Amino acid sequence: MVDAPLLALHGISRSFGAGPVLDGLSLSISAGERRGLIGPNGAGKTTLINLITGKLRPDSGRVLYRGLDITDLPPHRRARLGIGRSFQILSLFGEASVGENIRGALLAKHGIGTTVARRLSSLEPIFAESEQIAALAGLLPFLGERVDTLPYGLQRRLDIALVTAQEPELVILDEPAAGLSAAETRDLIDLLEAIIRGCTLILVEHDMDVVYALSDRITVLDYGCVLTEGTPAEVNADPAVRRVYLGEETG
Amino acid sequence: MSHHLASLMVAGGLDALTYSSLAFLIASGLTVVFGMLGFLNVAHTSFYMLAGYIGFSIASRTGSFWLALLLAPPVTVALGLAAERLLFRRLYAAGHTPQLLLTIGLAYVIAETTKMIWGDDSLALAPPTGLGGHVVILGATLPVYHLFVIVITMALVGLLALLIGWTRLGMVVRAAAIHPQMVDALGFKLSAVHTFVFLVGLYLAAVAGVVMAPMLGIYPGMADDALVQSFIVVVAGGLGSLPGAFVVAGLLGLVQGFGSVFLSDYALYFPFVVLAGVLLVRPLGLFGRGGA
């Protein structure tokens, strides 16, 4: 019971039109684990994330979170249960300031998201908390800046900050290093090391340096199935992985 | 002569404002629901018509226009909520063709049902006592009721702008219009936001339906008339753009208001001239954004 997984997927299948994207996939992630998820394009990584976060429902199979069957829960309920995610394409509110973005992310956590009438004093903790989060993400100097005026690297940091603002137990990041320069990527690794300490992580990423730096274990997907799973060293040495994935990168 | 012109300008201006106000009230729900949910609701103006008929029944039973204005919109919104829950919601992700088929069908059902209940003839609703008279401004004789329509519309639009622009609920609505998936991921109930937006849009159209009645009467074709006008507002304004709808409703009001004063024979065509003119210059509408 101690080692009951935080997240367990049982026999997940999901098709879009022509054929299955995920084919009877099972996966189990323990609390505190950092799991890298890699695989060639079309292996089903984003579909898998969407099934965990509730954007999609599986054709068959169950999704269990803390032993609770969440297969049919809508996304916002899963978010409130502690599943936070970032999107492959940045989904920030560009016309608002950095502070407004963070405070918006905090509202739902505090249960005052859409109440029209609420005393303003109830917002004070949110302002304080948003500054802490901004400080942690290195965004404090930009709190009042419009998001769409910030360089891309800082926008990515804000994206991570919004996910962690809700203090999720499970953090799911979909290609957080996409579009970053080498220097920005190193900064991102440092930020993630600091900010997601204690969280369980699922990381989908093409940049293998990021995957190796942040993952305890790596799952390799291919054609909607788990090709293999192991420590970074094991996966790196696996000939099948080198053929379908790592080989593809160098070739 | 200049006095005459001044009075014509005032009369035309008031007509323009009245017309634009109502055009905006009706079209705003259509454009926002399309923008946020991608849902094309042809039955939108059927609810506007329904509100007019329900308002007529309330007013003729109770003798009070005010009661009709107070009660008919919520009743209409309740019917709209039923339609959203039972029908529309199933097709939010289904694409435009099924949505068009469903809502055109619903528009027919509502049109025939209203004819069965209220008959084929045009019904008249008297303006409330005190608002039935005229005032003379700069030599122009103006119906007091038109002024009332402008005031109530501006009040509603102002309230809406406050709600959307200055409350947390409005903030979530704006956020949901930009990145719905992020709003979901942050733990806000997106489907509730969508229902709310849908109902607010219906409420505005329903108010327009009741308020319109003393000016143009209530008649079986009013849903179709309003639908054509609303689509012009929505398309020329840019699909999903509330500011766009506001500007185009204003433009339509101007050409209708002054057109009917100076070139009344051709007034019927003016909205289409506006539509064609806008689309020639900006094919996606005034505030339209490409892609989806």
Side-chain angles (χ1 to χ4, degrees):
Chain A
M1 197 59 213
V2 181
D3 256 359
L6 180 69
L7 180 78
L9 307 179
H10 295 298
I12 299 282
S13 294
R14 170 73 205 213
S15 313
F16 293 102
V21 172
L22 293 177
D23 197 2
L25 181 139
S26 293
L27 190 68
S28 151
I29 292 171
S30 358
E33 189 185 337
R34 295 169 172 194
R35 178 71 63 94
L37 206 56
I38 64 172
N41 285 327
K45 301 182 299 278
T46 296
T47 301
L48 186 61
I49 287 187
N50 285 335
L51 285 161
I52 298 171
T53 55
K55 205 176 168 196
L56 293 174
R57 307 280 156 88
D59 297 330
S60 62
R62 312 307 296 168
V63 181
L64 301 182
Y65 178 69
R66 286 193 223 138
L68 193 72
D69 189 333
I70 60 166
T71 315
D72 295 316
L73 285 189
H76 71 276
R77 293 277 305 280
R78 303 191 198 201
R80 288 181 197 173
L81 283 174
I83 301 179
R85 75 171 293 186
S86 76
F87 293 88
Q88 194 173 349
I89 297 163
L90 276 179
S91 300
L92 302 169
F93 301 104
E95 290 170 24
S97 71
V98 170
E100 285 165 341
N101 269 269
I102 299 176
R103 293 197 294 276
L106 288 169
L107 285 177
K109 188 184 93 183
H110 286 264
I112 52 174
T114 50
T115 46
V116 175
R118 178 64 70 126
R119 282 172 42 214
L120 270 177
S121 60
S122 70
L123 293 180
E124 272 169 29
I126 289 185
F127 275 83
E129 205 177 330
S130 67
E131 284 182 19
Q132 280 174 17
I133 291 165
L136 204 58
L139 292 167
L140 204 50
F142 310 102
L143 214 50
E145 307 267 335
R146 254 179 77 137
V147 169
D148 53 14
T149 65
L150 295 181
Y152 187 75
L154 289 180
Q155 292 194 23
R156 266 294 168 196
R157 295 179 84 89
L158 176 59
D159 193 45
I160 306 287
L162 292 191
V163 178
T164 51
Q166 311 156 79
E167 293 175 10
E169 193 175 2
L170 172 62
V171 175
I172 303 175
L173 302 178
D174 195 357
E175 301 210 17
L180 296 184
S181 70
E184 286 172 333
T185 301
R186 280 192 299 278
D187 284 349
L188 181 85
I189 293 174
D190 293 343
L191 170 67
L192 286 173
E193 285 285 4
I195 208 170
I196 59 168
R197 188 160 306 218
C199 297
T200 306
L201 173 72
I202 297 178
L203 173 70
V204 171
E205 182 53 62
H206 275 126
D207 186 328
M208 291 309 292
D209 292 339
V210 180
V211 177
Y212 286 139
L214 290 170
S215 313
D216 307 325
R217 291 179 73 75
I218 295 174
T219 298
V220 186
L221 293 187
D222 193 32
Y223 292 109
C225 300
V226 175
L227 181 71
T228 187
E229 194 178 300
T231 63
E234 285 165 1
V235 166
N236 194 30
D238 191 313
V241 175
R242 298 200 74 86
R243 195 170 58 246
V244 307
Y245 188 63
L246 300 175
E248 182 192 79
E249 283 234 314
T250 53
Chain B
M1 183 61 204
S2 69
H3 265 52
H4 182 59
L5 187 65
S7 76
L8 277 181
M9 293 300 281
V10 173
L14 185 76
D15 267 2
L17 270 176
T18 317
Y19 185 94
S20 333
S21 311
L22 290 168
F24 178 72
L25 274 195
I26 301 168
S28 54
L30 193 63
T31 200
V32 170
V33 166
F34 183 80
M36 286 185 64
L37 286 75
F39 187 76
L40 210 45
N41 182 12
V42 176
H44 182 71
T45 55
S46 302
F47 288 96
Y48 147 84
M49 174 173 74
L50 206 49
Y53 278 111
I54 293 171
F56 172 83
S57 286
I58 294 174
S60 53
R61 296 268 151 79
T62 64
S64 166
F65 171 84
W66 299 113
L67 222 51
L69 183 58
L70 195 70
L71 296 180
V75 172
T76 308
V77 167
L79 292 171
L81 180 64
E84 200 258 354
R85 282 283 146 85
L86 298 175
L87 303 171
F88 298 167
R89 182 169 282 197
R90 296 160 194 267
L91 294 186
Y92 281 159
H96 292 153
T97 310
Q99 294 170 359
L100 281 172
L101 288 173
L102 173 73
T103 56
I104 290 174
L106 182 64
Y108 275 118
V109 170
I110 293 176
E112 292 309 310
T113 310
T114 50
K115 279 186 206 165
M116 282 163 62
I117 299 176
W118 287 282
D120 288 344
D121 297 329
S122 177
L123 305 172
L125 186 61
T129 34
L131 298 179
H134 291 79
V135 287
V136 178
I137 298 173
L138 289 173
T141 310
L142 308 172
V144 176
Y145 187 75
H146 285 209
L147 296 172
F148 161 74
V149 169
I150 294 167
V151 169
I152 193 169
T153 308
M154 291 304 162
L156 276 176
V157 171
L159 216 60
L160 185 68
L162 276 180
L163 186 71
I164 301 287
W166 295 94
T167 68
R168 249 165 288 145
L169 176 62
M171 186 190 74
V172 176
V173 169
R174 278 179 290 143
I178 304 171
H179 293 307
Q181 78 282 20
M182 191 64 172
V183 167
D184 241 352
L186 292 175
F188 297 98
K189 189 174 180 183
L190 190 63
S191 61
V193 174
H194 284 163
T195 305
F196 171 79
V197 166
F198 180 82
L199 296 183
V200 169
L202 272 189
Y203 181 82
L204 296 180
V207 168
V210 180
V211 163
M212 182 79 113
M215 294 164 51
L216 296 178
I218 306 146
Y219 55 99
M222 67 189 276
D224 301 334
D225 291 351
L227 187 66
V228 171
Q229 172 203 285
S230 295
F231 267 110
I232 291 174
V233 170
V234 170
V235 172
L239 291 168
S241 166
L242 215 45
F246 192 78
V247 171
V248 174
L251 271 178
L252 282 191
L254 282 178
V255 296
Q256 282 295 89
F258 289 104
S260 55
V261 172
F262 294 106
L263 283 164
S264 56
D265 287 350
Y266 302 101
L268 210 58
Y269 305 111
F270 291 154
F272 300 99
V273 175
V274 169
L275 176 65
V278 168
L279 292 187
L280 274 176
V281 185
R282 293 188 62 87
L284 293 171
L286 282 183
F287 289 70
R289 291 177 193 180

Short mmCIF file of all heavy atoms in Angstrom, two decimals, chain A residues 73-118:
data_model
loop_
_atom_site.label_atom_id
_atom_site.label_comp_id
_atom_site.label_asym_id
_atom_site.label_seq_id
_atom_site.Cartn_x
_atom_site.Cartn_y
_atom_site.Cartn_z
N LEU A 73 -13.55 12.23 -15.27
CA LEU A 73 -13.61 13.57 -14.69
C LEU A 73 -13.22 14.64 -15.71
O LEU A 73 -12.31 14.43 -16.50
CB LEU A 73 -12.67 13.68 -13.49
CG LEU A 73 -13.07 13.02 -12.17
CD1 LEU A 73 -12.10 13.44 -11.07
CD2 LEU A 73 -14.49 13.38 -11.78
N PRO A 74 -13.90 15.80 -15.69
CA PRO A 74 -13.51 16.90 -16.59
C PRO A 74 -12.18 17.51 -16.14
O PRO A 74 -11.78 17.34 -14.99
CB PRO A 74 -14.65 17.90 -16.45
CG PRO A 74 -15.26 17.61 -15.14
CD PRO A 74 -15.08 16.14 -14.90
N PRO A 75 -11.48 18.22 -17.05
CA PRO A 75 -10.14 18.74 -16.76
C PRO A 75 -10.07 19.58 -15.48
O PRO A 75 -9.11 19.45 -14.72
CB PRO A 75 -9.83 19.60 -17.98
CG PRO A 75 -10.67 19.06 -19.07
CD PRO A 75 -11.90 18.51 -18.42
N HIS A 76 -11.06 20.46 -15.24
CA HIS A 76 -10.92 21.36 -14.09
C HIS A 76 -10.97 20.60 -12.78
O HIS A 76 -10.34 20.99 -11.81
CB HIS A 76 -11.97 22.47 -14.14
CG HIS A 76 -13.36 22.01 -13.85
ND1 HIS A 76 -14.17 21.47 -14.79
CD2 HIS A 76 -14.07 21.99 -12.70
CE1 HIS A 76 -15.33 21.14 -14.26
NE2 HIS A 76 -15.30 21.45 -12.98
N ARG A 77 -11.71 19.46 -12.75
CA ARG A 77 -11.76 18.67 -11.52
C ARG A 77 -10.41 18.00 -11.27
O ARG A 77 -9.94 17.90 -10.14
CB ARG A 77 -12.85 17.60 -11.64
CG ARG A 77 -14.26 18.17 -11.69
CD ARG A 77 -14.79 18.46 -10.29
NE ARG A 77 -14.75 17.31 -9.42
CZ ARG A 77 -15.65 16.33 -9.43
NH1 ARG A 77 -16.65 16.36 -10.28
NH2 ARG A 77 -15.56 15.32 -8.59
N ARG A 78 -9.77 17.54 -12.35
CA ARG A 78 -8.45 16.91 -12.20
C ARG A 78 -7.42 17.93 -11.74
O ARG A 78 -6.56 17.63 -10.94
CB ARG A 78 -8.02 16.27 -13.51
CG ARG A 78 -9.02 15.26 -14.03
CD ARG A 78 -8.46 14.46 -15.17
NE ARG A 78 -9.54 13.82 -15.91
CZ ARG A 78 -9.39 12.76 -16.68
NH1 ARG A 78 -8.20 12.24 -16.84
NH2 ARG A 78 -10.42 12.24 -17.31
N ALA A 79 -7.56 19.16 -12.29
CA ALA A 79 -6.64 20.22 -11.87
C ALA A 79 -6.78 20.45 -10.37
O ALA A 79 -5.79 20.61 -9.66
CB ALA A 79 -6.93 21.50 -12.64
N ARG A 80 -8.02 20.44 -9.88
CA ARG A 80 -8.23 20.69 -8.46
C ARG A 80 -7.76 19.52 -7.60
O ARG A 80 -7.49 19.68 -6.41
CB ARG A 80 -9.71 20.97 -8.18
CG ARG A 80 -10.12 22.32 -8.71
CD ARG A 80 -11.58 22.60 -8.41
NE ARG A 80 -12.06 23.69 -9.25
CZ ARG A 80 -13.33 24.05 -9.30
NH1 ARG A 80 -14.22 23.41 -8.59
NH2 ARG A 80 -13.70 25.04 -10.08
N LEU A 81 -7.67 18.33 -8.21
CA LEU A 81 -7.14 17.18 -7.47
C LEU A 81 -5.63 17.23 -7.38
O LEU A 81 -5.02 16.41 -6.70
CB LEU A 81 -7.57 15.87 -8.14
CG LEU A 81 -9.00 15.42 -7.93
CD1 LEU A 81 -9.30 14.19 -8.78
CD2 LEU A 81 -9.25 15.11 -6.46
N GLY A 82 -5.01 18.16 -8.12
CA GLY A 82 -3.56 18.29 -7.99
C GLY A 82 -2.78 17.90 -9.23
O GLY A 82 -1.59 17.63 -9.16
N ILE A 83 -3.45 17.83 -10.38
CA ILE A 83 -2.74 17.54 -11.62
C ILE A 83 -2.56 18.86 -12.39
O ILE A 83 -3.53 19.44 -12.86
CB ILE A 83 -3.52 16.53 -12.49
CG1 ILE A 83 -3.72 15.22 -11.71
CG2 ILE A 83 -2.76 16.27 -13.79
CD1 ILE A 83 -4.49 14.17 -12.46
N GLY A 84 -1.34 19.34 -12.47
CA GLY A 84 -1.08 20.59 -13.18
C GLY A 84 -0.34 20.30 -14.47
O GLY A 84 0.45 19.37 -14.55
N ARG A 85 -0.58 21.11 -15.49
CA ARG A 85 0.08 20.85 -16.77
C ARG A 85 0.48 22.14 -17.47
O ARG A 85 -0.09 23.20 -17.24
CB ARG A 85 -0.83 20.07 -17.70
CG ARG A 85 -1.93 20.92 -18.31
CD ARG A 85 -2.67 20.20 -19.40
NE ARG A 85 -1.82 19.95 -20.56
CZ ARG A 85 -2.29 19.43 -21.70
NH1 ARG A 85 -3.54 19.09 -21.81
NH2 ARG A 85 -1.49 19.26 -22.71
N SER A 86 1.48 22.02 -18.32
CA SER A 86 1.79 23.10 -19.24
C SER A 86 1.48 22.59 -20.64
O SER A 86 1.34 21.39 -20.86
CB SER A 86 3.25 23.50 -19.15
OG SER A 86 4.05 22.53 -19.80
N PHE A 87 1.37 23.53 -21.57
CA PHE A 87 1.03 23.14 -22.93
C PHE A 87 2.23 23.31 -23.85
O PHE A 87 3.08 24.18 -23.63
CB PHE A 87 -0.13 23.98 -23.45
CG PHE A 87 -1.41 23.70 -22.74
CD1 PHE A 87 -1.74 24.40 -21.59
CD2 PHE A 87 -2.27 22.73 -23.19
CE1 PHE A 87 -2.92 24.13 -20.90
CE2 PHE A 87 -3.45 22.45 -22.53
CZ PHE A 87 -3.78 23.15 -21.38
N GLN A 88 2.25 22.46 -24.88
CA GLN A 88 3.34 22.52 -25.85
C GLN A 88 3.40 23.91 -26.48
O GLN A 88 4.46 24.49 -26.64
CB GLN A 88 3.09 21.45 -26.91
CG GLN A 88 4.28 21.18 -27.77
CD GLN A 88 4.02 20.00 -28.68
OE1 GLN A 88 3.04 19.27 -28.52
NE2 GLN A 88 4.89 19.80 -29.65
N ILE A 89 2.23 24.44 -26.83
CA ILE A 89 2.16 25.80 -27.33
C ILE A 89 1.81 26.69 -26.15
O ILE A 89 0.83 26.44 -25.45
CB ILE A 89 1.08 25.91 -28.43
CG1 ILE A 89 1.46 25.03 -29.61
CG2 ILE A 89 0.90 27.36 -28.85
CD1 ILE A 89 0.34 24.74 -30.56
N LEU A 90 2.62 27.70 -25.91
CA LEU A 90 2.43 28.57 -24.75
C LEU A 90 0.99 29.07 -24.70
O LEU A 90 0.45 29.53 -25.69
CB LEU A 90 3.36 29.78 -24.84
CG LEU A 90 4.78 29.59 -24.33
CD1 LEU A 90 5.57 30.86 -24.51
CD2 LEU A 90 4.76 29.17 -22.86
N SER A 91 0.36 28.97 -23.53
CA SER A 91 -1.01 29.43 -23.38
C SER A 91 -1.08 30.50 -22.29
O SER A 91 -1.79 30.37 -21.32
CB SER A 91 -1.91 28.25 -23.02
OG SER A 91 -1.86 27.29 -24.03
N LEU A 92 -0.30 31.55 -22.48
CA LEU A 92 -0.29 32.64 -21.52
C LEU A 92 -1.27 33.72 -21.97
O LEU A 92 -1.65 33.77 -23.13
CB LEU A 92 1.12 33.23 -21.41
CG LEU A 92 2.19 32.24 -21.01
CD1 LEU A 92 3.57 32.85 -21.19
CD2 LEU A 92 2.00 31.79 -19.59
N PHE A 93 -1.64 34.60 -21.03
CA PHE A 93 -2.53 35.69 -21.39
C PHE A 93 -1.68 36.92 -21.69
O PHE A 93 -1.29 37.67 -20.80
CB PHE A 93 -3.56 35.90 -20.29
CG PHE A 93 -4.35 34.64 -20.07
CD1 PHE A 93 -4.12 33.81 -19.00
CD2 PHE A 93 -5.28 34.23 -21.03
CE1 PHE A 93 -4.81 32.62 -18.84
CE2 PHE A 93 -5.97 33.04 -20.89
CZ PHE A 93 -5.73 32.24 -19.79
N GLY A 94 -1.37 37.07 -22.98
CA GLY A 94 -0.36 38.01 -23.42
C GLY A 94 -0.66 39.47 -23.14
O GLY A 94 0.25 40.26 -22.95
N GLU A 95 -1.94 39.82 -23.12
CA GLU A 95 -2.28 41.22 -22.92
C GLU A 95 -2.31 41.60 -21.45
O GLU A 95 -2.44 42.77 -21.10
CB GLU A 95 -3.64 41.53 -23.57
CG GLU A 95 -3.56 41.49 -25.09
CD GLU A 95 -4.93 41.55 -25.73
OE1 GLU A 95 -5.87 42.05 -25.09
OE2 GLU A 95 -5.07 41.09 -26.87
N ALA A 96 -2.20 40.60 -20.57
CA ALA A 96 -2.19 40.87 -19.14
C ALA A 96 -0.74 40.89 -18.65
O ALA A 96 0.17 40.47 -19.37
CB ALA A 96 -2.99 39.81 -18.40
N SER A 97 -0.55 41.39 -17.42
CA SER A 97 0.81 41.46 -16.88
C SER A 97 1.20 40.10 -16.30
O SER A 97 0.37 39.22 -16.12
CB SER A 97 0.89 42.52 -15.80
OG SER A 97 0.19 42.09 -14.66
N VAL A 98 2.50 39.96 -16.01
CA VAL A 98 3.01 38.75 -15.39
C VAL A 98 2.26 38.48 -14.08
O VAL A 98 1.80 37.37 -13.82
CB VAL A 98 4.53 38.88 -15.13
CG1 VAL A 98 5.04 37.74 -14.27
CG2 VAL A 98 5.28 38.93 -16.46
N GLY A 99 2.12 39.55 -13.27
CA GLY A 99 1.43 39.41 -11.99
C GLY A 99 -0.01 38.97 -12.16
O GLY A 99 -0.50 38.11 -11.43
N GLU A 100 -0.69 39.55 -13.14
CA GLU A 100 -2.09 39.18 -13.37
C GLU A 100 -2.22 37.73 -13.78
O GLU A 100 -3.15 37.03 -13.35
CB GLU A 100 -2.71 40.10 -14.43
CG GLU A 100 -3.01 41.50 -13.92
CD GLU A 100 -3.26 42.50 -15.02
OE1 GLU A 100 -2.88 42.25 -16.19
OE2 GLU A 100 -3.85 43.55 -14.72
N ASN A 101 -1.29 37.26 -14.60
CA ASN A 101 -1.30 35.86 -15.01
C ASN A 101 -1.16 34.95 -13.79
O ASN A 101 -1.89 33.98 -13.64
CB ASN A 101 -0.18 35.57 -16.00
CG ASN A 101 -0.61 35.76 -17.45
OD1 ASN A 101 -1.07 34.83 -18.09
ND2 ASN A 101 -0.49 36.98 -17.94
N ILE A 102 -0.21 35.28 -12.93
CA ILE A 102 0.02 34.42 -11.76
C ILE A 102 -1.18 34.47 -10.81
O ILE A 102 -1.65 33.45 -10.31
CB ILE A 102 1.31 34.83 -11.01
CG1 ILE A 102 2.52 34.68 -11.95
CG2 ILE A 102 1.50 33.97 -9.78
CD1 ILE A 102 3.83 35.14 -11.34
N ARG A 103 -1.71 35.68 -10.59
CA ARG A 103 -2.85 35.80 -9.68
C ARG A 103 -4.06 35.07 -10.22
O ARG A 103 -4.80 34.43 -9.48
CB ARG A 103 -3.17 37.28 -9.41
CG ARG A 103 -2.06 37.99 -8.63
CD ARG A 103 -2.56 39.29 -8.03
NE ARG A 103 -2.91 40.28 -9.03
CZ ARG A 103 -2.04 41.11 -9.60
NH1 ARG A 103 -0.77 41.05 -9.29
NH2 ARG A 103 -2.44 41.97 -10.50
N GLY A 104 -4.24 35.14 -11.54
CA GLY A 104 -5.34 34.39 -12.16
C GLY A 104 -5.21 32.91 -11.89
O GLY A 104 -6.18 32.21 -11.60
N ALA A 105 -3.96 32.41 -11.98
CA ALA A 105 -3.73 31.00 -11.74
C ALA A 105 -4.00 30.63 -10.28
O ALA A 105 -4.35 29.50 -9.97
CB ALA A 105 -2.29 30.63 -12.11
N LEU A 106 -3.84 31.60 -9.38
CA LEU A 106 -4.04 31.32 -7.96
C LEU A 106 -5.52 31.35 -7.56
O LEU A 106 -5.90 30.74 -6.56
CB LEU A 106 -3.28 32.36 -7.11
CG LEU A 106 -1.75 32.21 -7.10
CD1 LEU A 106 -1.12 33.43 -6.47
CD2 LEU A 106 -1.36 30.95 -6.36
N LEU A 107 -6.33 32.06 -8.34
CA LEU A 107 -7.73 32.25 -7.93
C LEU A 107 -8.47 30.94 -7.74
O LEU A 107 -9.15 30.74 -6.74
CB LEU A 107 -8.46 33.12 -8.95
CG LEU A 107 -8.13 34.60 -8.92
CD1 LEU A 107 -8.86 35.33 -10.03
CD2 LEU A 107 -8.50 35.21 -7.58
N ALA A 108 -8.33 30.04 -8.73
CA ALA A 108 -9.09 28.81 -8.66
C ALA A 108 -8.65 27.99 -7.45
O ALA A 108 -9.47 27.38 -6.77
CB ALA A 108 -8.92 28.00 -9.94
N LYS A 109 -7.34 28.02 -7.17
CA LYS A 109 -6.82 27.25 -6.04
C LYS A 109 -7.45 27.74 -4.74
O LYS A 109 -7.75 26.97 -3.85
CB LYS A 109 -5.30 27.39 -5.97
CG LYS A 109 -4.66 26.47 -4.95
CD LYS A 109 -3.17 26.71 -4.84
CE LYS A 109 -2.89 27.70 -3.74
NZ LYS A 109 -1.45 28.00 -3.65
N HIS A 110 -7.67 29.05 -4.66
CA HIS A 110 -8.25 29.62 -3.45
C HIS A 110 -9.77 29.58 -3.46
O HIS A 110 -10.42 30.14 -2.59
CB HIS A 110 -7.77 31.07 -3.26
CG HIS A 110 -6.34 31.15 -2.81
ND1 HIS A 110 -5.98 31.29 -1.51
CD2 HIS A 110 -5.18 31.07 -3.52
CE1 HIS A 110 -4.64 31.31 -1.41
NE2 HIS A 110 -4.15 31.19 -2.62
N GLY A 111 -10.34 29.00 -4.52
CA GLY A 111 -11.79 28.84 -4.57
C GLY A 111 -12.57 30.12 -4.75
O GLY A 111 -13.75 30.19 -4.42
N ILE A 112 -11.92 31.17 -5.27
CA ILE A 112 -12.66 32.41 -5.48
C ILE A 112 -12.56 32.83 -6.94
O ILE A 112 -12.55 34.00 -7.26
CB ILE A 112 -12.15 33.56 -4.58
CG1 ILE A 112 -10.65 33.71 -4.72
CG2 ILE A 112 -12.54 33.31 -3.14
CD1 ILE A 112 -10.09 34.91 -3.98
N GLY A 113 -12.50 31.83 -7.80
CA GLY A 113 -12.29 32.12 -9.21
C GLY A 113 -13.32 33.02 -9.82
O GLY A 113 -12.99 34.04 -10.41
N THR A 114 -14.58 32.68 -9.68
CA THR A 114 -15.60 33.40 -10.44
C THR A 114 -16.61 34.10 -9.56
O THR A 114 -17.64 34.55 -10.02
CB THR A 114 -16.34 32.43 -11.38
OG1 THR A 114 -16.76 31.31 -10.62
CG2 THR A 114 -15.44 31.96 -12.49
N THR A 115 -16.33 34.21 -8.26
CA THR A 115 -17.28 34.93 -7.43
C THR A 115 -17.19 36.42 -7.75
O THR A 115 -16.12 37.00 -7.77
CB THR A 115 -16.97 34.74 -5.93
OG1 THR A 115 -15.58 34.93 -5.75
CG2 THR A 115 -17.37 33.36 -5.47
N VAL A 116 -18.34 37.02 -8.03
CA VAL A 116 -18.36 38.44 -8.37
C VAL A 116 -18.23 39.27 -7.10
O VAL A 116 -17.49 40.24 -7.03
CB VAL A 116 -19.65 38.80 -9.13
CG1 VAL A 116 -19.72 40.29 -9.35
CG2 VAL A 116 -19.68 38.05 -10.45
N ALA A 117 -18.96 38.85 -6.07
CA ALA A 117 -18.94 39.61 -4.82
C ALA A 117 -18.00 38.91 -3.83
O ALA A 117 -18.21 37.78 -3.46
CB ALA A 117 -20.34 39.69 -4.24
N ARG A 118 -16.97 39.58 -3.46
CA ARG A 118 -16.02 39.01 -2.48
C ARG A 118 -15.20 40.17 -1.95
O ARG A 118 -14.76 41.02 -2.71
CB ARG A 118 -15.13 37.97 -3.16
CG ARG A 118 -14.08 37.35 -2.27
CD ARG A 118 -14.69 36.57 -1.14
NE ARG A 118 -15.31 35.36 -1.63
CZ ARG A 118 -15.04 34.14 -1.15
NH1 ARG A 118 -14.17 33.99 -0.19
NH2 ARG A 118 -15.63 33.08 -1.64
#
